[in-house]
Every structure is written in C-alpha cells, then in structure tokens.
Amino acid sequence: MPTSLATIKDRLSTHIGQELMVVAQAGRKKTTERHGILKETYPAVFVVDLDQDENSFERVSYSYTDILTQNIQVNFGDDDADDNQ
C-alpha cells in the first residue's frame, strides 16, 4: 500500500485514460462498485468519468486520502494485484 499522498497521486497519474473500478465503503458492511475511466488528477483529488449504463451521474471525484485511509480501493483492469492502489 502506498504510504504517502504524493506516491498515490503519481501512480494514478500514470493511469489517466484507463478503465478502473472503485470500491467504496458505503456504510456499515456495505460497499459500492463504480466502473469508469480515470479522467484527471488534481493536487488533492482525482476525477472518474462513470459508465452511464450503470450510474445516474456522469462523474465522481475522490480524495487521495480516501485511498490512504482505505475508504476506497482502486483497481485497474489490466494491473496485477500488487499495482492496485
């Protein structure tokens, strides 16, 4: 697991334009899965354009601290398990 926000941002920046799946904690023993494309990375957040067939809204943004604190998991389809954020 990455240990700094800068490392997380750098890893995500290399995957801009690729498909991904975000698994987010949605409360007590509940998770949500969202599929989309990593659109952009900013200094504090990253933006995912969501698959319109599965979601009612176009895009969602997450903070790098969500990955660091394990509130979300980001998985890229073509990555090995050790490259997951």
Side-chain angles (χ1 to χ4, degrees), residues 28-40:
R28 189 173 165 183
K29 296 184 182 181
K30 295 180 185 176
T31 59
T32 58
E33 287 186 8
R34 294 194 173 122
H35 298 269
I37 297 174
L38 180 60
K39 188 66 173 176
E40 293 187 63

Side-chain angles (χ1 to χ4, degrees), residues 18-66:
Q18 293 183 2
E19 290 187 21
L20 57 81
M21 179 180 68
V22 178
V23 179
Q25 299 296 323
R28 189 173 165 183
K29 296 184 182 181
K30 295 180 185 176
T31 59
T32 58
E33 287 186 8
R34 294 194 173 122
H35 298 269
I37 297 174
L38 180 60
K39 188 66 173 176
E40 293 187 63
T41 58
Y42 294 100
V45 298
F46 60 98
V47 177
V48 177
D49 279 347
L50 297 174
D51 183 2
Q52 292 302 296
D53 295 335
E54 298 177 6
N55 300 287
S56 60
F57 40 94
E58 289 185 34
R59 66 183 60 93
V60 67
S61 63
Y62 296 100
S63 169
Y64 302 119
T65 58
D66 291 331

